[in-house]
């Protein structure tokens, strides 16, 4: 601002001060020649350059030491203040500037303390101004780089002296924002890439730093890389990512934007994984019916395109091939093909997939009895791979094997109820499969029986001893304890040809078990059947139920029982009231509703086996009930309309009664008469009368009554035809008389009422019933005042007699009464 004020001062301003002209002496130093009364605007500068030491020296004051220029640094765009010595109140201060690479000084500014002037050309250095004696350079420019000289003239001891200050100004330039330049932004792996950090300007020295940000993972600094150029030779996939460079000098530090280096590579050999994981020596395995996913990954940039082949046939496109429900048919080789479309390169990997499946069902445990020992057998065949089986017992674990494992124990060391477990393991099953077996001896003893084949040609000896683990071994022995045929487990059967000499022979079934000492036995003896009946003679009343009982006392093989009827034919149950009821060794014959005609006679119970026959007889006697008393009809009459009859009867003589039976026929008994039919049955024995309806009035009926004692029917009563009911006029006469009286009463009341209302018609009758005045009053009360006035007028007319009061004809009333019988 002081420089601008000096420039605006009037050019005629005189400074009463000395001036100094600098010139180059013989030694190359500046010398000053002074004068007086010079204007500030008239000061001239003669540029001189010390070519010897490169520094400005002052020889105005002999004896002073040479002064070295002070180094000052400034930043472009900022401000710098250069102070001109420490002398108080100089008369004149001159500032000059020598650019780098030049020998000619350029005036900058001058001041006498009150006024100042800035040279117009000094504006290239920046915003130049004077503050007291100091030179202020604002908005510093790079052109201000060079040497500044300050010369001051002052009076000391009555003499003029000069002082000067030398400055070497360095202008620092901040670095501009760096820019990363890649020689190839998408290089192929293995080639060379040069990265350049370009800075447009900045004062040297400039120090560079590089940072790398991979796609995954933390940012990393590239240690040791401080140059503008950064070379990757050869480039690989680890160099892929974003790169940032920073430039730093004495003034500032700036970083560039990110530059992405996209390294093209691959595909590598694919890596195949399985979910859920399962590994074999050949490749992978998976369980049957579960979802299986084969995933393929081949490192590549750009990402690979995948295709799946199964046994050289493409089955899927994409990185993951999923089998929803694996089956045994999915076992095979699977190949993953990876393709890089940028480089048009391909790789592939093949794996073997095996589908495991467990054996069907569960492990099967069994115990095989051997001589003095017990052998445990566990089997679980099938499956891929074979199941691993292992026995465990009360005293620890036993052997292990695939699909089939056995374990033998001495029987003497095993108490009853010893439990053993076989554990099955398979890779395709999440849980263990188990089967258990518990050793125990069978209960009780063996059971023996015999049967005969069809046609009684052979006898089958059977022996059974159920239960036990292991099952007991059974075998048949003859009377001399010699074995018959081969034995069996839990059951033994031996067949003999049926012969008569077998009767009385004894056979033994022997049962052996590892936990049973001594052996158990059962015996049987062959014999012909024997029978017995409960009662040889059975009597029942007619209609009751009879039971004939027959029991088999012996016989081996067991005999077949059946009954023969009185006609020596087999009794068929369900026919003719026969019922067969077998109970163990008994066969009961029931006869329901015994009838002498069909059921009475001799019955035989027959038993037969392969060694003989046996029979017993039972006589059945069916007794009738006593005859009931006789019956007579005491009354039989038709009803009013001949559609029903009223029947009454009476009994005569002794006898038991259980009911009555009424029969009728549609015609009178005789030749060609109709058959008797039941008109009423199930009549209580206390009843002696019955009303029977449903008759046809045009048919002549005959009736009879029979007495019943259970199923015994008494002699029929006499046959009678219903009689007509007797005539009775008394009720008809009473009815007719009553009806006539009612009709006469009603008619009389009607006549009397008419006579009262019309006295002129029946004057005599009216006079007998009611006096005339009362009659007129009644009529007046009925017909009103006008009628009363008229009546009085008629009665007062002279010469009108009773016979002339009315000309109406008499009324005749006829009452007819009809009586209906």
């Amino acid at each position: 601002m002081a420089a601008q004020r000096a420039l605006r001062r009037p050019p005629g301003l005189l400074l009463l001060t000395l001036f100094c002209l600098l010139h180059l002496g013989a030694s190359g130093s500046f010398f000053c020649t002074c004068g007086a009364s010079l204007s500030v605007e008239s000061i001239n500068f003669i540029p001189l350059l010390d070519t010897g030491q490169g520094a400005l020296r002052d020889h105005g004051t002999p004896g002073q030491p040479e002064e070295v220029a002070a180094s000052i640094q400034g930043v472009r765009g900022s401000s710098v203040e250069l102070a001109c010595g420490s002398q108080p109140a100089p008369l004149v201060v001159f500032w000059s500037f020598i650019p780098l690479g030049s020998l000619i000084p350029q005036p900058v500014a001058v001041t006498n303390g009150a006024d100042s002037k800035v040279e117009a050309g000094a504006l290239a250095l920046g915003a130049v101004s004077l503050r007291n004696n100091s030179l202020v350079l604002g908005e510093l420019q790079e052109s201000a780089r060079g040497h500044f000289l300050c010369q001051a003239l002052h009076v000391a001891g009555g003499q003029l002296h000069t002082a000067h200050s030398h400055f070497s100004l360095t202008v620092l330039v901040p670095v501009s924002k760096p820019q990363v330049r890649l020689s190839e932004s998408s290089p192929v792996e293995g080639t060379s890439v040069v990265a350049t950090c370009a800075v447009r300007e900045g004062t040297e020295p400039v120090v560079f730093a590089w940072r790398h940000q991979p796609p995954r993972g933390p940012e990393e600094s590239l240690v040791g890389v401080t140059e503008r150029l950064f070379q990757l030779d050869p480039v690989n996939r680890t160099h892929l990512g974003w790169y940032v460079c920073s430039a730093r000098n004495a003034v500032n530090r700036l970083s560039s934007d990110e530059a992405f280096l996209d390294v093209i590579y691959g595909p590598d050999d694919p890596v195949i994984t399985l979910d859920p994981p399962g590994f074999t020596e050949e490749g992978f395995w998976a369980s049957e019916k579960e979802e299986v996913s084969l995933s393929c990954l081949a490192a590549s940039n750009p990402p690979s395109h995948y295709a799946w082949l199964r046994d050289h046939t493409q089955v899927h496109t994409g990185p993951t091939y999923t089998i929803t429900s694996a089956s045994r048919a999915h076992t095979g080789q699977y190949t993953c093909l990876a393709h890089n479309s940028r480089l048009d390169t391909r790789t592939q990997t093949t794996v073997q997939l095996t589908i495991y499946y467990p054996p069907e069902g569960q492990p099967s445990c069994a115990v095989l009895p051997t001589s003095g020992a017990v052998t445990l057998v566990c089997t679980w065949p099938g499956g891929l791979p074979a199941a691993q089986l292992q026995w465990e017992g009360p005293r620890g674990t036993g052997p292990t094997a695939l699909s089939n494992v056995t374990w033998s124990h001495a029987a003497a060391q095993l108490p009853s109820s010893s439990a053993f477990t076989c554990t099955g393991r398979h890779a395709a099953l999440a849980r263990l499969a188990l089967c258990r077996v518990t050793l125990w001896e069978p209960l009780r003893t063996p059971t023996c029986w015999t049967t005969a084949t069809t046609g009684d040609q052979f006898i089958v000896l059977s022996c059974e001893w159920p239960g036990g683990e292991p099952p007991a071994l059974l075998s048949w022995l003859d009377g001399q304890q010699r074995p018959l045929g081969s034995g069996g487990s839990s059951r033994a059967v031996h067949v003999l040809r049926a012969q008569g000499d077998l009767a009385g022979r004894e056979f033994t079934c022997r049962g052996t078990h590892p936990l049973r000492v001594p052996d158990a036995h059962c015996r049987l003896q062959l014999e012909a059947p024997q029978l017995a009946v409960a009662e040889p003679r059975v009597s029942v009343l007619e209609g009751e139920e009879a039971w004939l009982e027959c029991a088999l006392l012996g016989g081996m093989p067991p005999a077949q029982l059946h009954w023969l009827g009185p006609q020596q034919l087999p009794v068929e149950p369900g026919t003719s009231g026969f019922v067969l009821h077998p109970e163990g060794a008994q066969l009961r014959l029931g006869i329901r509703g015994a009838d002498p005609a069909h059921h009475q006679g001799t019955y035989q119970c027959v038993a037969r086996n392969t060694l003989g026959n046996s029979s017993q007889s039972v006589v059945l006697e069916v007794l009738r009930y006593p005859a009931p008393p006789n019956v007579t009809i005491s009354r039989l009459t038709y009803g009013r309309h001949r559609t029903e009859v009223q029947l009454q009867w009476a009994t005569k003589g002794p006898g038991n009664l259980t009911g009555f039976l009424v029969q009728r026929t549609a015609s009178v008994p005789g030749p060609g008469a109709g058959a008797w039919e039941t008109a009423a049955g199930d009549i209580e024995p206390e009843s002696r009368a019955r009303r029977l309806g449903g008759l046809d009035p045009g048919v002549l009926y005959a009736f009879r009554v029979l007495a019943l004692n259970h199923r015994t029917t008494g002699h029929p009563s006499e046959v009678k035809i219903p009689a007509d009911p007797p005539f009775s006029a008394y009720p008809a006469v009473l009815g007719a008389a009553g009806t006539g009286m009612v009709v006469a009463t009603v008619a009389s009341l009607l006549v009397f009422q008419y006579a009262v209302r019309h006295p002129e018609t029946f004057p005599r009758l009216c006079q007998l019933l009611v006096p005339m005045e009362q009659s007129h009053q009644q009529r007046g009360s009925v017909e009103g005042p006008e009628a009363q006035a008229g009546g009085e007028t008629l009665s007062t007319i002279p010469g009108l007699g009773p016979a002339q009061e009315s000309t109406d004809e008499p009324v005749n009333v006829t009452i007819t009464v009809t009586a209906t019988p």
Side-chain angles (χ1 to χ4, degrees):
M1 296 301 294
Q4 294 176 1
R5 288 195 301 268
L7 292 174
R8 289 195 296 269
R9 291 181 62 83
L13 177 62
L14 298 178
L15 297 176
L16 300 178
T17 183
L18 299 177
F19 69 92
C20 179
L21 295 179
L22 297 177
H23 57 88
L24 183 61
S27 63
S29 299
F30 292 98
F31 292 92
C32 179
T33 303
C34 297
S37 302
L38 293 178
S39 170
V40 173
E41 287 80 358
S42 63
I43 298 177
N44 295 319
F45 293 91
I46 302 175
L48 298 176
L49 179 62
D50 185 355
T51 59
Q53 302 298 325
L56 298 177
R57 295 178 176 85
D58 181 7
H59 295 273
T61 306
Q64 288 184 347
E66 296 182 357
E67 183 179 353
V68 180
S71 297
I72 302 297
Q73 288 184 344
V75 178
R76 186 183 65 181
S78 61
S79 62
V80 173
E81 183 177 352
L82 305 177
C84 185
S86 60
Q87 298 297 330
L91 298 178
V92 180
V93 176
F94 302 94
W95 283 95
S96 61
F97 169 68
I98 302 176
L100 290 179
S102 176
L103 299 177
I104 302 173
Q106 300 174 0
V108 177
V110 61
T111 180
N112 61 359
D115 297 306
S116 61
K117 177 183 178 182
V118 176
E119 185 69 22
L123 296 178
L125 304 178
V128 180
S129 63
L130 292 171
R131 180 184 300 135
N132 296 328
N133 298 331
S134 298
L135 178 66
V136 178
L137 299 176
E139 300 179 5
L140 190 61
Q141 300 297 318
E142 289 186 70
S143 58
R145 187 181 298 115
H147 299 279
F148 286 85
L149 174 62
C150 171
Q151 295 175 318
L153 183 64
H154 59 88
V155 178
Q159 294 181 357
L160 291 175
H161 297 274
T162 62
H164 56 272
S165 297
H166 304 153
F167 299 94
S168 178
L169 178 61
T170 300
V171 179
L172 303 178
V173 179
V175 293
S176 61
K177 184 175 182 178
Q179 182 181 5
V180 177
R181 297 174 181 172
L182 301 174
S183 60
E184 177 63 46
S185 61
S186 299
V188 178
E189 188 176 35
T191 61
S192 177
V193 175
V194 176
T196 303
C197 185
V199 177
R200 181 173 49 84
E201 59 183 0
T203 302
E204 297 291 342
V206 178
V207 179
F208 297 90
W210 291 86
R211 298 194 309 275
H212 175 218
Q213 173 64 60
R216 288 179 295 273
E219 184 181 57
E220 58 182 358
S221 297
L222 302 181
V223 181
V225 181
T226 59
E227 299 298 330
R228 183 188 306 269
L229 297 179
F230 171 41
Q231 185 174 7
L232 300 173
D233 187 18
V235 66
N236 59 52
R237 64 194 64 183
T238 62
H239 297 144
L240 187 144
W242 291 268
Y243 286 85
V244 176
C245 76
S246 61
R248 174 175 56 85
N249 64 2
V251 180
N252 66 334
R253 175 178 180 147
L254 291 177
S255 296
S256 67
D257 295 331
E258 293 178 340
F260 186 73
L261 179 62
D262 190 16
V263 181
I264 307 301
Y265 61 90
D268 294 347
D269 290 337
V271 176
I272 298 177
T273 58
L274 181 71
D275 184 32
F279 303 96
T280 64
E281 295 180 359
E282 296 81 11
F284 299 112
W285 70 268
S287 297
E288 190 177 26
K289 296 183 180 180
E290 74 175 349
E291 184 176 279
V292 179
S293 295
L294 287 168
S295 298
C296 181
L297 179 62
S300 176
N301 185 34
S304 299
H305 297 281
Y306 299 95
W308 284 94
L309 284 75
R310 177 189 167 196
D311 296 335
H312 309 292
T313 302
Q314 183 171 338
V315 293
H316 183 67
T317 300
T320 302
Y321 174 48
T322 300
I323 302 174
T324 304
S325 179
S327 65
R328 304 174 191 182
H330 288 108
T331 298
Q333 288 187 338
Y334 290 82
T335 301
C336 174
L337 297 178
H339 176 227
N340 187 322
S341 59
R342 179 74 173 271
L343 300 177
D344 195 21
T345 53
R346 292 175 174 82
T347 56
Q348 69 179 38
T349 299
T350 301
V351 296
Q352 175 71 28
L353 176 62
T354 304
I355 303 301
Y356 284 179
Y357 56 92
E360 295 183 358
Q362 298 290 326
S364 176
C365 294
V367 182
L368 301 180
T370 56
S371 178
V374 172
T375 300
L376 305 174
V377 179
C378 179
T379 59
W380 198 15
L384 180 68
Q388 185 76 26
L389 302 177
Q390 184 174 19
W391 277 106
E392 295 181 7
R395 300 180 181 179
T397 59
T400 180
L402 296 176
S403 299
N404 190 313
V405 60
T406 59
W407 194 14
S408 297
H409 287 271
Q413 301 175 356
L414 296 175
S416 184
S417 301
S418 298
F420 295 85
T421 301
C422 177
T423 303
R425 294 177 175 85
H426 194 273
L429 294 178
R431 297 182 178 179
L432 299 178
L434 305 175
C435 68
R436 294 182 174 86
V437 62
T438 301
L439 303 183
W440 55 284
E441 61 178 288
L443 303 176
R444 296 182 292 275
T445 57
T447 302
C448 299
W449 73 94
T450 62
T451 57
T453 61
T454 304
D456 295 335
Q457 295 181 358
F458 298 95
I459 298 176
V460 179
L461 304 179
S462 299
C463 177
E464 186 178 41
W465 195 13
E469 191 64 47
L473 293 178
L474 301 175
S475 60
W476 279 102
L477 307 175
D478 62 7
Q480 288 77 32
Q481 298 300 306
R482 293 176 299 185
L484 299 175
S486 60
S489 176
S490 296
R491 186 171 183 176
V493 176
H494 183 67
V495 179
L496 301 174
R497 182 176 295 275
Q499 298 176 356
D501 60 352
L502 292 177
R505 292 181 59 180
E506 186 178 80
F507 297 88
T508 302
C509 177
R510 181 177 61 190
T512 60
H513 192 272
L515 303 181
R516 171 70 71 91
V517 179
D519 295 339
H521 301 81
C522 69
R523 294 178 174 84
L524 56 83
Q525 185 175 3
L526 301 181
E527 59 184 4
Q530 298 179 7
L531 287 177
V533 295
E535 297 180 7
R537 190 177 189 88
V538 177
S539 299
V540 295
L541 290 173
E542 180 185 10
E544 292 184 353
E545 187 176 68
W547 285 97
L548 311 182
E549 298 182 4
C550 176
L552 183 65
L553 300 181
M556 190 65 66
Q560 298 179 354
L561 295 177
H562 60 274
W563 283 94
L564 300 178
Q567 293 78 23
Q568 297 300 308
L569 297 177
V571 173
E572 297 293 337
T575 61
S576 302
F578 292 117
V579 177
L580 290 177
H581 185 61
E583 294 180 356
Q586 295 183 355
L587 180 62
R588 301 177 64 199
L589 172 62
I591 304 172
R592 296 177 179 176
D595 185 0
H598 298 90
H599 299 141
Q600 185 169 284
T602 301
Y603 292 81
Q604 283 191 344
C605 177
V606 179
R608 178 183 294 110
N609 67 4
T610 56
L611 301 179
N613 299 330
S614 177
S615 64
Q616 291 288 339
S617 299
V618 177
V619 177
L620 175 63
E621 182 181 10
V622 181
L623 304 177
R624 294 181 177 273
Y625 283 93
N630 295 330
V631 180
T632 60
I633 297 175
S634 59
R635 181 182 179 184
L636 179 61
T637 59
Y638 275 114
R640 183 174 181 180
H641 301 292
R642 299 178 67 87
T643 59
E644 61 181 15
V645 296
Q646 180 66 33
L647 175 64
Q648 295 180 358
W649 65 86
T651 59
K652 293 183 180 181
N656 295 328
L657 281 174
T658 59
F660 294 95
L661 175 67
V662 178
Q663 295 179 337
R664 74 181 182 187
T665 181
S667 62
V668 178
W676 290 98
E677 61 182 12
T678 300
D682 297 333
I683 300 175
E684 298 80 1
E686 297 82 7
S687 298
R688 295 295 184 272
R690 179 61 61 104
R691 184 182 298 273
L692 305 175
L695 304 180
D696 186 357
V699 178
L700 182 62
Y701 293 94
F703 292 85
R704 68 180 183 181
V705 181
L706 298 89
L708 302 176
N709 184 11
H710 296 282
R711 292 194 175 189
T712 302
T713 304
H715 292 285
S717 68
E718 71 278 18
V719 177
K720 283 190 175 184
I721 298 174
D724 291 334
F727 176 75
S728 178
Y730 183 72
V733 172
L734 290 179
T739 303
M741 292 177 63
V742 171
V743 172
T745 302
V746 172
S748 299
L749 290 176
L750 293 175
V751 172
F752 292 155
Q753 184 177 6
Y754 184 80
V756 171
R757 290 180 177 272
H758 303 280
E760 65 280 3
T761 304
F762 303 99
R764 298 298 181 186
L765 181 60
C766 184
Q767 290 178 0
L768 293 176
L769 295 176
V770 182
M772 182 60 69
E773 294 182 357
Q774 294 180 1
S775 174
H776 288 306
Q777 291 177 1
Q778 292 175 0
R779 291 183 63 189
S781 62
V782 175
E783 301 180 27
E786 298 177 356
Q788 292 180 3
E792 293 176 358
T793 304
L794 291 176
S795 63
T796 57
I797 298 176
L800 183 61
Q804 299 177 353
E805 292 179 356
S806 174
T807 59
D808 296 336
E809 294 294 333
V811 176
N812 295 324
V813 177
T814 301
I815 299 174
T816 302
V817 176
T818 302
T820 301

